[in-house]
Amino acid sequence: MVSAWQFEIPTAGSKRLPPDARYVEALSSQGYGFEAAIADLVDNSIDAGAQNVVIHFLRDGEQLVSLVIVDDGKGMDEGELDIAMTVGGRRGYGKRALGMFGTGLKSASLSHANSVTVVSRTKRTRPVGRRWLMERAKEGFECDIIDPAYAQDFVDFYQGRPIAFQGTIVRWDGVKDFPKHGGGGQTDRYLHRTVNKLGLHLGLHLHRFLARDDFHITISVQDVRTGVEYANYGVESLDPFAYPHPGDPGYPSSFATDVPDVGPLRLEAHIWPPRSSLDEYKAFGAVVDREGFYFYRNDRLVQAGGWNNFRQPEQHLALARVAVDLPDDPDGKVFRLTVKKEGVQASPDFAGAVEKAVDAQGRTFAQYLADAERVYREARRHAGVARKAALPAGRGMDPQVRQAIEDELPILTHEEPLQFRWQKLPNDTFFEVDQEGHVLLLNQHYRAALLGGRAGSVDDAPLVKSLMYLLMQDAFQRERLGSRLKDNIELWQSVLVAAARAELDRMAD
């Protein structure tokens, strides 16, 4: 008997089903991280031929009020701006364009703000502006037309900063990520943390552009009431392949292969020198997550590490990084880029092609991986001579610190992890040791002083916990505490209590 699914499915006409206005809510729920959203807007600036982009945090005293991204690109006239602000509106993308889907501006912006305003001017047209207000957008795709006088004033405000004769301004209001109450130094702490992360993200994903002499990104913080500029940072290129010398003299090497449906592909295989402390190696996440393929699309980094089902990430391949410039694949038969440009979905054909890749010396890609592993293991053997194995760090320790511990120390994988927990203890006690439970108890009384008034979390106080982790290894690896170790613990207890009380006194002042 022939099954129904074997036949072509018949149809009886068609009907148009336009999206409900609530589609805007779905558009704003794409999971954009803050840094990825800003990077998407900078992509638009690059496509517009901008040489300068300014990311402007605006504050009113202790309160952050708006975020503005300004460029000196070619700008848009009224018709082009309407297309840019249309949900799903797509302009004609060139082969070297970074934009793809026609949703980045709207999706990235409305993921993080209740309102997005765009004002733009070309050399031949007056400034024009449009605004998406989330509430009005949900009611029926209603986009506001900005008063021409305000659009002109907005452009004039950024004249020379960096707008010269043309440019575009994107403004976010009601930014969800901003602190709701800026008092107590929350705004300063937020800006310090956010500007640093944003600079690293842009420096990494746009490093090929930032390495050029004709492209610059600046992050600025200014008070709207006083006009005082609190900070002005130039974003630096963070090239993930910028090591001073390779970990193996036989690399980097270019591996060639052919991928069905897209043709020739080159894999630029690198081996980092072991134990590097350079930001290009360690500054943007756990090292084990940054091994693997670095995919570029039109010089824009769209994936920073990962093996794309070719193999699983492993610590001993932490020095292996492979640059891949994506070939032209408009139908996405082999490579599909995520909307947020933070990853590439590769078909099994890619993994099969990598297995067949060879370099000019006739080495296979498997040999490259073996060489990267060898360099890593040899370095660990030399470094591990004087380093004693340690307990794994568990709950309560910041993930970045846990990763650093695993990178630097041989780990007793058969042992239970050492956990950290805040608990009410006598005021003359900074910590207690629960050997049986593998828990280091910290005195809740001193928590606020150690955090400097910040809100606590499971992984808080990473510096204190890291120091305690290193100090207390012997205490948790021995069945019983010897007299010398007990004396050391009493010493540490007294000094730490005195230091914590000094912090409390400073808070009281």
Side-chain angles (χ1 to χ4, degrees):
M1 180 180 292
V2 179
S3 300
W5 62 265
Q6 292 177 288
F7 294 103
E8 183 178 346
I9 299 174
T11 60
S14 63
K15 64 186 301 184
R16 185 171 181 272
L17 298 173
D20 187 276
R22 287 175 297 178
Y23 173 68
V24 176
E25 287 188 86
L27 190 70
S28 67
S29 303
Q30 298 292 315
Y32 265 98
F34 184 79
E35 295 82 21
I38 299 295
D40 218 333
L41 300 186
V42 177
D43 287 346
N44 292 338
S45 298
I46 293 172
D47 282 346
Q51 292 187 320
N52 297 281
V53 179
V54 176
I55 300 165
H56 205 186
F57 289 86
L58 300 178
R59 60 188 293 175
D60 184 357
E62 289 296 312
Q63 196 68 45
L64 279 171
V65 292
S66 297
L67 177 64
V68 183
I69 297 94
V70 195
D71 70 51
D72 61 356
K74 66 182 181 180
M76 294 176 281
D77 61 25
E78 193 162 19
E80 291 170 325
L81 180 56
D82 281 341
I83 292 174
M85 294 295 277
T86 298
V87 176
R90 295 187 65 181
R91 55 183 172 81
Y93 292 114
K95 283 191 173 182
R96 299 295 300 172
L98 303 184
M100 289 183 64
F101 302 105
T103 61
L105 170 63
K106 286 78 66 177
S107 184
S109 298
L110 294 177
S111 292
H112 289 277
N114 294 323
S115 167
V116 55
T117 302
V118 181
V119 172
S120 194
R121 181 180 75 179
T122 72
K123 281 186 177 179
R124 297 180 178 82
T125 60
R126 293 180 178 275
V128 291
R130 298 288 186 268
R131 180 183 71 172
W132 275 114
L133 194 62
M134 190 64 176
E135 290 304 314
R136 287 173 57 77
K138 289 189 295 185
E139 291 173 3
F141 295 105
E142 292 287 334
C143 185
D144 296 325
I145 300 172
I146 301 302
D147 181 271
Y150 177 85
Q152 183 66 60
D153 289 343
F154 209 11
V155 169
D156 289 343
F157 181 81
Y158 284 103
Q159 187 67 35
R161 306 185 310 152
I163 292 176
F165 305 105
Q166 58 198 14
T168 298
I169 305 167
V170 179
R171 171 174 161 173
W172 290 359
D173 291 298
V175 180
K176 302 166 189 176
D177 196 47
F178 284 176
K180 297 297 184 292
H181 305 286
Q186 286 192 52
T187 293
D188 290 330
R189 287 192 295 272
Y190 169 82
L191 285 170
H192 177 76
R193 180 177 66 252
T194 301
V195 167
N196 183 58
K197 288 177 62 180
L198 180 58
L200 290 174
H201 185 93
L202 296 175
L204 174 65
H205 288 84
L206 298 173
H207 72 87
R208 288 186 177 178
F209 296 94
L210 289 164
R212 302 172 184 173
D213 293 332
D214 62 350
F215 182 72
H216 310 278
I217 301 175
T218 302
I219 303 176
S220 174
V221 181
Q222 186 175 18
D223 193 292
V224 294
R225 188 168 306 194
T226 65
V228 173
E229 190 173 47
Y230 286 84
N232 190 300
Y233 304 92
V235 176
E236 299 289 337
S237 170
L238 196 66
D239 185 347
F241 301 97
Y243 41 76
H245 55 82
D248 184 290
Y251 295 90
S253 185
S254 180
F255 287 77
T257 188
D258 278 287
V259 184
D261 294 316
V262 297
L265 187 69
R266 303 197 77 82
L267 313 170
E268 297 295 330
H270 298 252
I271 299 178
W272 264 82
R275 308 181 65 76
S276 176
S277 60
L278 293 177
D279 283 348
E280 288 83 352
Y281 183 65
K282 299 190 73 170
F284 44 90
V287 170
V288 71
D289 294 332
R290 296 305 186 184
E291 65 184 50
F293 298 116
Y294 284 66
F295 288 111
Y296 293 84
R297 176 179 175 272
N298 296 338
D299 283 337
R300 207 276 205 189
L301 182 60
V302 293
Q303 177 176 305
W307 291 107
N308 297 80
N309 295 321
F310 174 69
R311 59 168 302 128
Q312 292 298 314
E314 296 182 51
Q315 188 66 38
H316 57 253
L317 288 176
L319 305 177
R321 292 182 178 180
V322 184
V324 183
D325 283 278
L326 289 173
D328 190 25
D329 185 17
D331 297 325
K333 292 180 179 179
V334 179
F335 301 105
R336 291 184 62 85
L337 182 63
T338 62
V339 173
K340 297 176 289 183
K341 301 174 191 167
E342 283 194 310
V344 172
Q345 297 171 351
S347 75
D349 287 337
F350 170 67
V354 173
E355 290 178 351
K356 299 174 183 177
V358 294
D359 69 0
Q361 287 76 45
R363 293 178 297 191
T364 64
F365 196 79
Q367 182 59 55
Y368 156 67
L369 295 178
D371 289 339
E373 180 177 349
R374 171 181 50 78
V375 173
Y376 176 86
R377 292 192 184 279
E378 286 178 355
R380 286 294 291 256
R381 278 199 299 272
H382 292 309
V385 171
R387 289 187 177 176
K388 184 179 177 181
L391 296 171
R395 181 176 172 79
M397 184 68 87
D398 185 275
Q400 291 188 54
V401 179
R402 287 205 301 268
Q403 184 62 54
I405 289 169
E406 292 172 10
D407 289 344
E408 299 294 338
L409 290 170
I411 299 298
L412 298 168
T413 55
H414 60 283
E415 294 282 356
E416 289 294 319
L418 174 55
Q419 302 180 54
F420 293 83
R421 189 167 69 238
W422 294 99
Q423 186 165 305
K424 188 174 181 179
L425 300 173
N427 288 354
D428 62 351
T429 302
F430 187 83
F431 65 91
E432 284 188 358
V433 177
D434 177 2
Q435 276 189 300
E436 186 175 344
H438 268 218
V439 180
L440 192 62
L441 303 169
L442 303 176
N443 195 336
Q444 178 73 35
H445 178 68
Y446 299 118
R447 188 178 193 180
L450 296 175
L451 298 179
R454 298 186 300 274
S457 66
V458 173
D459 299 332
D460 60 12
L463 183 59
V464 173
K465 289 177 179 176
S466 298
L467 293 172
M468 296 298 297
Y469 169 86
L470 296 172
L471 282 175
M472 302 304 295
Q473 282 298 312
D474 280 350
F476 283 96
Q477 291 190 44
R478 296 184 180 182
E479 291 185 9
R480 56 186 295 275
L481 303 181
S483 58
R484 185 178 182 84
L485 183 55
K486 286 181 179 179
D487 183 63
N488 280 338
I489 290 176
E490 288 180 10
L491 169 64
W492 301 333
Q493 194 84 262
S494 298
V495 173
L496 289 169
V497 166
R501 286 176 175 171
E503 290 287 355
L504 285 176
D505 291 341
R506 289 172 182 269
M507 288 183 65
D509 293 339

